[in-house]
């Protein structure tokens, strides 16, 4: 066996796991589409007031895990000794922009464990008891407002815009 094989196998297993997790989240999001938040145009990332509120909320509720500069925790793709993935970046180097607004909203509101179910472990709690829907959207708007135009354009296409 070559030295590279276990690393490639771990990478493949991680990729399969991530796809399964976000596939399950996507199905749950479709199931929850009756929420008061519509699936298109969720994030008011061009609204200066929403972005300002979102930055304040991000700093208060998100930065302790995802960092002030949105770069996430080190080694965010590798599970820790307790089986948890570290907080991913929300900047362009992460995968946040790969997911539609509805999915990002649902993860933020309900938490990853609730969205995925089936015993999935995550430290990403839901903020439904701490933040209103508008506040969640504002925090997400702030995150999106920091992305470069090309990433925003790709994310808009994911949303069907």
């Amino acid at each position: 066996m070559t030295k590279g094989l276990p690393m490639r196998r771990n990478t493949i297993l991680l990729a399969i796991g991530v796809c399964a997790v976000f596939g399950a989240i996507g199905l749950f999001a479709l199931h929850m589409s009756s929420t008061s938040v519509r699936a298109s145009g969720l994030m008011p990332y061009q609204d200066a007031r929403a972005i300002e509120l979102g930055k304040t909320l991000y700093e208060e509720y998100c930065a302790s895990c995802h960092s002030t500069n949105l770069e996430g925790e080190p080694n965010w793709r590798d599970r820790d000794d307790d089986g948890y993935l570290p907080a991913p970046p929300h900047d362009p180097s992460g995968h946040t922009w790969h997911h539609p607004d509805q999915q990002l909203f649902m993860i933020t509101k309900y938490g990853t464990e609730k969205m995925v179910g089936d015993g999935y472990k995550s430290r990403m709690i839901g903020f439904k008891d701490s933040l209103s829907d508008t506040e969640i959207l504002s925090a997400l708007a702030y995150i999106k407002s920091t992305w470069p135009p090309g990433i925003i354009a790709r994310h808009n296409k994911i949303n069907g815009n």
Side-chain angles (χ1 to χ4, degrees), residues 43-124:
M43 289 193 262
Y45 68 95
Q46 295 175 316
D47 180 331
R49 287 179 296 172
I51 292 167
E52 184 179 333
L53 172 61
K55 183 174 195 253
T56 299
L57 294 168
Y58 180 90
E59 289 168 354
E60 182 175 347
Y61 291 93
C62 311
S64 62
C65 294
H66 295 279
S67 85
T68 303
N69 296 322
L70 294 89
E71 74 265 14
E73 293 180 310
N75 303 314
W76 62 275
R77 291 183 176 108
D78 301 321
R79 293 194 181 276
D80 64 19
D81 293 339
D82 296 323
Y84 292 94
L85 287 170
H90 290 311
D91 65 14
S93 72
H95 59 78
T96 304
W97 63 270
H98 295 159
H99 305 291
D101 289 343
Q102 181 72 28
Q103 192 173 41
L104 297 173
F105 175 83
M106 300 297 282
I107 291 169
T108 307
K109 184 167 184 166
Y110 298 107
T112 306
E113 284 185 1
K114 176 108 174 167
M115 294 296 298
V116 176
D118 202 26
Y120 184 81
K121 293 173 75 169
S122 174
R123 289 189 176 101
M124 174 59 190

